[in-house]
Amino acid sequence: MPASRTGRRVALATSLTGLLAAPLAVIATTAPAHAAPVTIQVLATNDFHGRLINEDGTGGTTNGVTAGAAILSRAVKELRAANPNTVFAAAGDLIGASTFESFIQHDKPTLDALNEAGLEVSAAGNHEFDAGYSDLVNRVMKPASASNPEGGANWQYLAANVRKRSDNSYALPDVAASPGTSDGATWYKDFGSVRVGFVGAVTEDLPSLVSPAGIADVKVSSIVTEVNAGAAALRTAGADVVVMLVHEGSATTSCSGVSDDSAFGRIVKGVGTNVNAIVSGHTHLAYNCSYSGVPVVSAGQYGMALNQLQFTVEDTTGAVTAVTSDIRYLKAQTSPFAANYPADPAVTTIVNDARAKADVLGAVPLGRLAGPFSRARLADGTTENRGGESTLGNLVAEVQRWATQTPQAGGAQIAFMNPGGLRADMVGNPGGFPSTLTYKQAAVVQPFANTLVNMKMTGAQIKEVLEQQWQRDGNGAVPTRPFLRLGTSKGFFATYDPTHPEGNRVTSMWLDGKAIEATTAYSVTVNSFLASGGDNFRAFTKGTGKRDTGKVDLQAMVDYMAAFASTSPQPVNTRQQHVGVSWPADAPRFYRIGQDFKVNLSSLAMTGPGDAKDATLDIKVGDVKRSPAKVDNTVGTTPFDESGKSAVRFGLNGKVKKGKQVVTFTGPTTGTTFSLPIDLRKAKPEVKVRTKPGRIVAGETRTRVKIKVTALGLSEVSGKIVVKVGGQKYKAKLKDGKAFVRVDRFAKTGQKSVKVKYAGNRKVQDTTEFIKIKVRRD
């Protein structure tokens, strides 16, 4: 291949000199004054993630459709047939975070399918490094062979900003099978006298997105610096068209995201017009934009579309005189999702073979289940209720917390799971429990192959997430599903009041028995869908220190089952971790001994098939038992989490103690337990004082003072009474709440003040009552 356009111009000039000696007629008929321009077509994809299967509206994608590898391949082949001057390129994450059919074979079916589709060059994505740098270069990028049966990508991976620590050379080797020439940072291919070059880069966040141990031998540097150097090298090598492939992208489909002050915006502006186009990815969004006349594009995710770039190049000068860009969707984006291209038979064979092998490999047992892990249901028993707490949702959240609890993965303390990510109950093989769970049965529960993302969130941000369970879409409207209950990991507990105003419904949050503090940062793990604000949980985008751990949700479940369910069945956690607590409008700021305690509880019952339920709740005030409260386990018909209700009413009497107390509720069947703090103070007494006789004569009548002390909710009041009158003090003890004092005769007439003091006891506060008596003459 020629090294530069200068060399090609010399060759062209020599041929023209030879033609000058020929007859004029020959020159006129064989040498036109200007050669026709050449149209170079670049087709590009990104973030394919092993989505082999053609799915309609079930792929979990932004647009709800996944075309599959066979349709993608046929589209590329048809567009290449229309213009042979075509390069099929990509912006990374072609493998990793894949669905079961590809994942179970370490993405070998995806490598084969993209080879058949004619992929030639791609930027490395962060997921290409999921299994480490060595796996990428020694398996994926090496030819398939008996010693490397799961490798064999025939395209060139590029990463100009990834270099070896040992000698600072580019980290990615040349793939001999690719049709171009590469140094690991750049790649070029010739179409006649036109040379098309590519320079690739991976997100600078790579060290926080994959295991540090897996990339210990390489270092990640500036995208802008390395891409500009690579683009200059391509120009020196005679490239007429230079395309940047970068696994980094805009955070929005709005074209403002390609030139704002975000990391991607700074990359675009930093590279500027040093390239003729920028093909991006990583954020899974489709956009067709430009900056300073340079197209900046992304095809979204999962092979739902292709970016089509067309460069008009003047053959004699190499000048790019025009460029167009478009997004070619492979299927209609609305029902019935008709394919815009037929399936490629060769790739269909690869996909069908992957399915068949997945069925066999999917039969491998992972462990045993002690009972069913079900999704929530509505009253009919079959309709899924994504607004209900479920044993499955809480299990998956706990699995994801466990999988990311190491310091390298972020030291997760809490994990959340979206109910829409659970596509089937996890019940194992039929025939009763314990039952064996197979690989495939676990895979159909979580078919989206999301990775686990760890981040730091303050308590206030976690509360905001929980408030967003009451849904609002991006326009502020309530969507079709008005409420989505997040699954939560063990140790996390929250109360809410469904009667409160929107945004103020979450009333408490606890982690391992300690109240979550608004300003304290906690380590939180969610799947990549939630991390990007999916299902309207936009507060997750506010997390800081985000790292894509590279752990796939399904693999986390596989590892968890191996650790905990291989020898003994995995028990079902039947405890509620969200409970509705609604206080009556007249609820006091503090309670007094003897007063009635009232609260309405909800969300006490799981609603999946076979879920355990409590008929009653055991109650304690401190260590003092109260009578159990009945629970109404009628399953609701609306998509909220209110099933399992109890109107709790009891008196704060008996042996209860004053002070800061907790009222503890325990479900004897489910093990659900939670406490509500109360301030319990001494009862407020009511003292009634009467004197007899009605006529008191000085020097003659001895006045009898009768005292009765009562307190709301207490059957009787005990304690001491002190009566002061006429300079004298009299003492008595209450008996059955009553006391009697006989006062000495009064020597003088007039109005007398009688002071009656009740000294109180451990349950009843003291108080003083005054009455007046009149002493008369005979």
Side-chain angles (χ1 to χ4, degrees):
M1 281 183 262
S4 69
R5 174 162 290 278
T6 301
R8 296 197 292 279
R9 285 177 179 169
V10 170
L12 178 60
T14 301
S15 64
L16 289 174
T17 302
L19 288 173
L20 291 177
L24 183 60
V26 174
I27 296 174
T29 58
T30 61
H34 300 286
V38 177
T39 299
I40 301 296
Q41 176 176 244
V42 174
L43 303 175
T45 188
N46 57 276
D47 297 280
F48 184 67
H49 290 292
R51 260 43 177 199
L52 297 172
I53 308 300
N54 175 358
E55 296 177 315
D56 287 345
T58 60
T61 71
T62 302
N63 292 72
V65 292
T66 303
I71 293 175
L72 173 68
S73 178
R74 183 57 177 264
V76 173
K77 289 180 178 180
E78 287 192 9
L79 292 169
R80 190 192 294 272
N83 181 0
N85 298 327
T86 293
V87 176
F88 180 25
D93 275 9
L94 304 173
I95 58 175
S98 304
T99 48
F100 186 74
E101 290 78 11
S102 183
F103 158 77
I104 191 62
Q105 296 187 67
H106 297 100
D107 284 314
K108 173 60 173 173
T110 296
L111 301 184
D112 292 343
L114 292 177
N115 283 340
E116 177 60 33
L119 183 64
E120 297 166 86
V121 62
S122 176
N126 53 284
H127 283 287
E128 269 79 12
F129 292 90
D130 280 349
Y133 167 66
S134 177
D135 179 74
L136 174 59
V137 299
N138 293 319
R139 176 181 70 87
V140 176
M141 295 180 67
K142 280 193 173 181
S145 64
S147 60
N148 187 35
E150 293 180 325
N154 291 339
W155 60 88
Q156 178 66 48
Y157 273 118
L158 303 176
N161 64 325
V162 179
R163 293 178 178 267
K164 295 178 184 177
R165 291 188 182 276
S166 58
D167 59 7
N168 204 43
S169 63
Y170 293 128
L172 300 186
D174 178 45
V175 175
S178 79
T181 301
S182 177
D183 59 3
T186 63
W187 178 94
Y188 62 82
K189 180 181 179 181
D190 291 335
F191 296 94
S193 62
V194 175
R195 176 164 291 178
V196 182
F198 293 81
V199 56
V202 65
T203 174
E204 293 174 17
D205 293 332
L206 179 66
S208 66
L209 299 179
V210 298
S211 170
I215 57 170
D217 295 334
V218 298
K219 57 185 178 179
V220 181
S221 57
S222 164
I223 290 176
V224 171
T225 299
E226 294 284 17
V227 165
N228 283 338
L234 285 169
R235 298 291 188 193
T236 299
D240 304 301
V241 177
V242 174
V243 177
M244 175 186 182
L245 304 174
V246 61
H247 193 69
E248 185 60 271
S250 173
T252 174
T253 56
S254 168
C255 287
S256 62
V258 306
S259 59
D260 58 15
D261 196 40
S262 64
F264 184 62
R266 292 193 294 272
I267 290 169
V268 172
K269 289 181 286 189
V271 173
T273 56
N274 292 331
V275 297
N276 297 102
I278 297 174
V279 175
S280 59
H282 191 47
T283 55
H284 291 223
L285 300 176
Y287 44 86
N288 183 21
C289 303
S290 67
Y291 174 76
S292 294
V294 175
V296 182
V297 301
S298 170
Q301 60 182 354
Y302 306 153
M304 70 185 209
L306 285 168
N307 288 121
Q308 182 185 42
L309 296 163
Q310 299 189 84
F311 303 90
T312 302
V313 184
E314 179 59 49
D315 182 63
T316 56
T317 65
V320 177
T321 59
V323 59
T324 64
S325 60
D326 193 14
I327 297 177
R328 302 287 296 245
Y329 286 98
L330 305 186
K331 296 175 71 176
Q333 299 298 290
T334 57
S335 181
F337 307 110
N340 294 326
Y341 300 89
D344 181 349
V347 175
T348 297
T349 299
I350 295 170
V351 173
N352 289 342
D353 183 62
R355 283 181 187 246
K357 289 182 179 178
D359 287 341
V360 174
L361 297 171
V364 174
L366 299 183
R368 292 187 298 158
L369 306 178
F373 289 87
S374 302
R375 296 166 294 169
R377 298 293 199 278
L378 293 178
D380 62 10
T382 58
T383 303
E384 180 190 2
N385 176 18
R386 294 187 184 179
E389 185 172 355
S390 71
T391 55
L392 180 59
N394 289 348
L395 171 68
V396 171
E398 172 58 17
V399 167
Q400 296 180 359
R401 184 206 63 79
W402 173 83
T404 55
Q405 65 181 333
T406 63
Q408 294 86 351
Q413 299 167 281
I414 306 167
F416 296 103
M417 179 61 195
N418 59 303
L422 307 172
R423 312 304 288 192
D425 296 337
M426 195 166 76
V427 297
N429 289 334
F433 294 96
S435 68
T436 297
L437 178 74
T438 67
Y439 211 144
K440 186 65 176 288
Q441 289 163 348
V444 298
V445 172
Q446 299 179 86
F448 303 131
N450 288 308
T451 53
L452 306 184
V453 178
N454 181 264
M455 66 188 79
K456 295 294 184 184
M457 299 188 78
T458 64
Q461 290 169 334
I462 294 172
K463 181 181 185 297
E464 186 178 357
V465 164
L466 296 187
E467 295 287 356
Q468 289 175 348
Q469 294 175 120
W470 290 268
Q471 292 269 288
R472 293 277 179 181
D473 65 21
N475 296 319
V478 177
T480 303
R481 290 188 176 95
F483 182 79
L484 296 177
R485 173 63 80 202
L486 291 170
T488 54
S489 54
K490 285 183 180 178
F492 182 86
F493 180 81
T495 62
Y496 66 97
D497 189 337
T499 68
H500 278 191
E502 184 175 359
N504 194 34
R505 289 172 176 146
V506 177
T507 51
S508 72
M509 301 179 298
W510 305 79
L511 179 61
D512 297 328
K514 295 182 179 180
I516 287 181
E517 301 291 339
T519 58
T520 300
Y522 300 86
S523 179
V524 176
T525 290
V526 293
N527 61 42
S528 51
F529 173 73
L530 280 178
S532 64
D535 272 346
N536 297 311
F537 287 101
R538 289 174 289 278
F540 281 124
T541 64
K542 298 181 180 180
T544 59
K546 283 188 177 179
R547 65 178 78 186
D548 189 323
T549 65
K551 298 177 184 289
V552 178
D553 50 14
L554 175 58
Q555 186 61 47
M557 179 63 73
V558 171
D559 295 342
Y560 185 88
M561 294 298 292
F564 296 104
S566 58
T567 57
S568 59
Q570 173 64 35
V572 180
N573 176 15
T574 57
R575 296 179 178 87
Q576 296 288 139
Q577 291 172 221
H578 299 264
V579 172
V581 179
S582 183
W583 300 96
D586 60 351
R589 183 169 55 88
F590 59 85
Y591 290 89
R592 293 191 180 277
I593 290 177
Q595 192 172 358
D596 280 347
F597 176 91
K598 302 177 183 178
V599 70
N600 293 322
L601 303 177
S602 58
S603 188
L604 297 172
M606 302 283 190
T607 56
D611 282 344
K613 294 178 175 61
D614 294 306
T616 59
L617 281 179
D618 294 335
I619 302 173
K620 284 185 178 180
V621 181
D623 295 326
V624 179
K625 291 183 178 181
R626 302 284 83 180
S627 296
K630 292 183 178 180
V631 179
D632 179 359
N633 288 311
T634 302
V635 178
T637 59
T638 57
F640 292 91
D641 195 20
E642 296 302 289
S643 296
K645 296 181 179 181
S646 182
V648 178
R649 306 285 187 273
F650 62 85
L652 294 164
N653 47 26
K655 295 182 179 180
V656 296
K657 299 177 181 179
K658 68 180 180 67
K660 304 293 183 182
Q661 298 285 351
V662 291
V663 181
T664 302
F665 301 89
T666 303
T669 301
T670 65
T672 297
T673 183
F674 59 98
S675 298
L676 302 178
I678 62 170
D679 183 0
L680 187 55
R681 303 183 183 183
K682 287 185 176 183
K684 190 173 183 178
E686 183 178 356
V687 178
K688 293 183 179 180
V689 181
R690 292 189 301 162
T691 59
K692 285 188 177 182
R695 184 179 177 83
I696 302 172
V697 179
E700 294 184 7
T701 308
R702 294 196 66 181
T703 306
R704 300 186 299 277
V705 181
K706 292 184 176 181
I707 303 119
K708 182 178 181 180
V709 182
T710 59
L712 182 66
L714 299 182
S715 58
E716 64 178 56
V717 177
S718 62
K720 296 179 180 179
I721 296 292
V722 176
V723 177
K724 289 184 178 181
V725 60
Q728 299 294 316
K729 181 188 296 184
Y730 305 89
K731 297 181 179 180
K733 287 186 178 181
L734 291 173
K735 183 177 181 181
D736 296 330
K738 299 176 182 178
F740 175 84
V741 172
R742 186 182 292 274
V743 178
D744 289 345
R745 297 178 180 87
F746 294 101
K748 297 181 180 180
T749 60
Q751 195 87 344
K752 308 296 182 181
S753 177
V754 180
K755 178 182 179 182
V756 178
K757 181 176 181 180
Y758 166 59
N761 60 29
R762 68 180 184 87
K763 292 185 179 180
V764 186
Q765 69 182 24
D766 61 6
T767 190
T768 300
E769 187 74 17
F770 292 88
I771 64 168
K772 299 288 185 178
I773 58 176
K774 187 175 183 180
V775 180
R776 304 174 184 274
R777 295 183 183 274
D778 185 14

